Amino acid sequence: MGSQPGMPIALRSIHSSSCRRASEEGLQLNEKTALYDIVIVGGGVAGTALACALASNPVLRDNRVALVEAMDLTSTIEWSPVKESYSNRVVSLTPGSMNFFERMGVVEHMNLSRVHGYGDMEVWDGVTDARIKFDTSLLGSKKDTSKESIAYMVENIHLQNAMLKRIRECNTRGAQVDILQKARVASIGNEQSSTEFDVSDWPSVKLESGDVLQTRLLIGADGVNSPVRNHANIESLGWDYDTHGVVATLKLDDSRPNNTAWQRFLPTGPIAMLPLSEGYASLVWSTKPEIAKILKGVSSDDFCKLVNAAFRMSTIDLNYLYEYTWREEVANKSKSTIEVWQREESLPPAVVSIQDKSRASFPLRMRNSERYVADRVALVGDAAHAIHPLAGQGLNQGMLDVACLSKVLEKGTLEGQDIGKLNLLRDYAAERYGRNIVMLSACDKMHRLFGTDVAPVTWIRSLGLSAVNSSDSLKAEIMKYAMGVESSR
Ligand SMILES: Cc1cc2nc3c(=O)[nH]c(=O)nc-3n(C[C@H](O)[C@H](O)[C@H](O)COP(=O)(O)OP(=O)(O)OC[C@H]3O[C@@H](n4cnc5c(N)ncnc54)[C@H](O)[C@@H]3O)c2cc1C
């Protein structure tokens, strides 16, 4: 049975209408080369989500898909929650992203005791103390609030574990996603294969093992240094912030409820505490690389003191605090002062300890690819764009990419188009490019606006924050946008 390039149907259907694997149907071109409809490079959250979206979609599940990941996924596949112990790689998912996971059938495989929704958020200026409070009651209608949480805290490994389970389930129902782990891509090119149908313009992905995957559509979900993006000669534009994000899992004083996300903007960068469960929170402290180094090097006790102080002390005192003698002084402050700190409702619960080995740091940057698509190539997630984590939007943008790309591929399939062709892929780029730029530039401007303690700027931003805080309707609009509520419909 022959086939032409650009045939709209999935490889499996080309060779047989039965439900047998494509490789069994002769799509193993030779000992080393296999043909796929879609190869996804990168089994991080974005790549795994795309594999899941394809496998769970009745129109797309006939495609033969390979998910190629360099890392060993054993611990992800075997993950199960350990009480009072949390991974330090956590994301705040918008209700829009959660709805997407629900539609793909992933939520059924999640352990909901490890998904913590929060309904309040307090954001304030560390220099002027001007503050904005958000809570879901501002949205009025319960329909919009999507279970009345602003966002949901989930460990990345938990999300991936649930998606891999869902892919396995879909495979038992006819989908065919091959998960290739410990499979690093060595090079990508275009190689002529000796096959009965012409696949000469299909990218071929060579793995370090020597195996070659030739594909109708190549997806780059391979993170900020994307090899797929390099193969497609797509430039990544942007800059590095002179800032690192320090993360850690915190144990809190549990006499206070833990349903609020707290973020204080310091001139060195924002510090955020996000609730994981009663008594536990995730820290994301964006700061100068030299301060990040101190934060990672100090004892656990000193680290807790520094976090508590960063939410409470003046920015001038904080500059001294990074020195050891100053930390001692904070520790020796009268017990009564510390008790007052702990009781203050406008401040987060005090940190009492940090989870062992949970401290890590990541360089922060702003990137946007010059294009998201090329012929037979599309980029999603951090391969396409990277954002400052101050609004917790990076992966949420990635999920919107995945939802949009699968919708475009579904439309192309129903119309009988070749899913690798640029004409079709352009619909994906057209929808996502502008929207991602709006979010990237909003977060970049916030980072710059708050990254100074120069007086005229601090007055203006303080006025701005107070003005927004006094307008419930404006706050509701900001919340809806950040929650992805509109886009989830
Ligand atoms: C401190 C911090 C806090 C954050 N908080 C939030 C938040 O609250 N909410 C939010 O939405 N986002 C947040 N983000 C952003 C979010 O973590 C990222 O956007 C997201 O993890 C990117 O996922 P990805 O799958 O696109 O890329 P990655 O996670 O980078 O995955 C890429 C994958 O590709 C694989 N790969 C790379 N090269 C190869 C190769 N040659 N061969 C095979 N495989 C390869 C890698 O091994 C990796 O698994 C945060 C980021 C940081 C740094």
Side-chain angles (χ1 to χ4, degrees), residues 20 30 61 82 85 105-106 127-128 132 190 211 221 228-229 265 268 290 297 337 341 346 377 380-381 410 433 454 482:
R20 293 177 63 202
N30 54 48
R61 74 164 174 222
V82 176
S85 172
V106 174
V127 178
T128 66
I132 304 191
N190 288 83
D211 290 332
V228 172
R229 192 182 58 228
F265 278 91
T268 44
E290 58 278 14
T337 313
W341 276 9
S346 62
V377 174
V380 294
E410 179 185 320
Y433 203 85
V454 176

Side-chain angles (χ1 to χ4, degrees), residues 368-370 372 385 397 401 426-442 481:
N368 198 29
S369 297
E370 167 208 6
Y372 290 174
H385 44 73
Q397 284 185 297
D401 296 345
R426 276 201 186 110
D427 290 352
Y428 157 65
E431 185 170 328
R432 292 303 307 146
Y433 203 85
R435 291 182 190 195
N436 282 335
I437 283 190
V438 170
M439 186 60 87
L440 287 164
S441 101
Y481 177 62

Side-chain angles (χ1 to χ4, degrees), residues 154-291:
V154 190
E155 293 150 284
N156 293 19
I157 193 169
H158 178 192
L159 262 181
Q160 280 178 276
N161 170 275
M163 289 191 287
L164 291 171
K165 283 181 179 149
R166 174 63 178 149
I167 292 171
R168 201 161 56 198
E169 182 179 69
C170 292
N171 277 348
T172 63
R173 296 175 188 166
Q176 40 178 357
V177 177
D178 294 337
I179 295 165
L180 312 182
Q181 53 165 323
K182 291 190 268 181
R184 182 171 292 280
V185 172
S187 63
I188 305 170
N190 288 83
E191 93 179 21
Q192 185 69 54
S193 306
S194 52
T195 163
E196 62 194 280
F197 56 103
D198 179 11
V199 293
S200 55
D201 71 332
W202 291 21
S204 60
V205 176
K206 188 164 189 188
L207 306 182
E208 282 182 350
S209 62
D211 290 332
V212 177
L213 318 175
Q214 197 153 7
T215 182
R216 186 191 296 279
L217 173 60
L218 176 62
I219 305 292
D222 42 0
V224 75
N225 299 314
S226 169
V228 172
R229 192 182 58 228
N230 291 340
H231 153 76
N233 278 325
I234 298 177
E235 215 182 318
S236 174
L237 311 169
W239 43 82
D240 292 357
Y241 294 113
D242 183 24
T243 304
H244 284 195
V246 177
V247 298
T249 304
L250 309 174
K251 170 101 180 77
L252 307 178
D253 160 27
D254 57 10
S255 63
R256 295 257 311 270
N258 193 23
N259 186 36
T260 304
W262 308 88
Q263 179 151 268
R264 185 186 192 203
F265 278 91
L266 301 169
T268 44
I271 178 169
M273 190 191 279
L274 304 151
L276 286 177
S277 65
E278 282 315 313
Y280 289 87
S282 169
L283 175 82
V284 183
W285 187 346
S286 306
T287 190
K288 297 286 164 207
E290 58 278 14
I291 301 176

Side-chain angles (χ1 to χ4, degrees), residues 20 29 51 63 149 177 181 207 226 265 313 344 379 384 403 405 419 424 440 443 464 482 487:
R20 293 177 63 202
L29 291 182
N63 287 295
S149 288
V177 177
Q181 53 165 323
L207 306 182
S226 169
F265 278 91
M313 291 180 75
E344 264 193 75
L379 306 175
L405 181 58
I419 56 167
L424 176 67
L440 287 164
C443 290
S487 38

Side-chain angles (χ1 to χ4, degrees), residues 118-136:
Y118 58 85
D120 300 297
M121 188 156 86
E122 298 211 16
V123 179
W124 72 107
D125 184 334
V127 178
T128 66
D129 265 347
R131 185 176 286 254
I132 304 191
K133 294 185 184 191
F134 295 100
D135 71 80
T136 42

